[in-house]
Amino acid sequence: MKTTYAAGTAGLIIILALAACQGLSTAPAVSDTVKATPSFASDIQPIFNASCTGCHGTSGGLDLTSGRSYAALVNVRANADPTKFRVAPEDATNSYLVMALENRATNGGKMPPSGSLTGNQIQNIKNWINTGAANN
Ligand code: HEC
């Protein structure tokens, strides 16, 4: 009887532990490792999901949600400064997206407004742009 009870308790603990792990695995994974040729879908979009879409959702002037962000960024002029593209392929320095991330925006605030992406995340965005800003 005592053994059965112990086994039952152990089983319950295992089930709870598995449930907890499953909860963790649904959290979005944002890589903080620099890649020479980052992929838009695997390396860049997760950054937007974690740090930007709370403000830049489907109803705003800049939609950074998955499936819509690419079309909103690449070769699209910035509202804040129409002389710049939000993303100019192979020219991260003059892409308004990077200017905002590096607090060099000519006519608007730093992005995100509070806090900051990590240096490695910004580097991956720049590497993605400078290697052609592919929708990959
Ligand atoms: C707390 C809300 C908030 C968050 C979080 C936020 N933004 Fe913004 N963003 C704004 C607002 C408001 C504007 C418009 C005013 C401005 O340019 O300062 C804006 C403007 C921009 C612009 C300029 C768009 C244009 O065409 O003029 C870019 C690029 C941008 N955000 C990128 C980002 C990125 C990338 C992130 C995530 C790393 C981010 N933002 C996070 C609120 C936010």
Side-chain angles (χ1 to χ4, degrees), residues 23-24 29 35 38 55 65 69 77 81 103 114 128:
L24 283 176
K35 294 190 182 174
C55 294
T65 61
S69 53
R77 291 185 189 280
D81 181 353
N103 202 9
S114 65
W128 166 70

Side-chain angles (χ1 to χ4, degrees), residues 21-35:
C21 284
Q22 234 168 16
L24 283 176
S25 70
T26 58
V30 184
S31 165
D32 197 28
T33 309
V34 172
K35 294 190 182 174

Side-chain angles (χ1 to χ4, degrees), residues 54-122:
C55 294
H56 294 282
T58 51
S59 62
L62 170 58
D63 186 345
L64 292 179
T65 61
S66 180
R68 294 169 179 253
S69 53
Y70 187 88
L73 288 172
V74 178
N75 292 317
V76 176
R77 291 185 189 280
N79 286 332
D81 181 353
T83 69
K84 301 277 190 237
F85 290 113
R86 287 168 172 167
V87 167
E90 299 183 16
D91 189 3
T93 305
N94 289 303
S95 294
Y96 201 82
L97 169 68
V98 174
M99 293 170 65
L101 293 173
E102 294 183 336
N103 202 9
R104 295 187 286 110
T106 39
N107 197 18
K110 168 178 88 63
M111 290 297 140
S114 65
S116 167
L117 296 185
T118 68
N120 286 353
Q121 288 173 331
I122 295 175

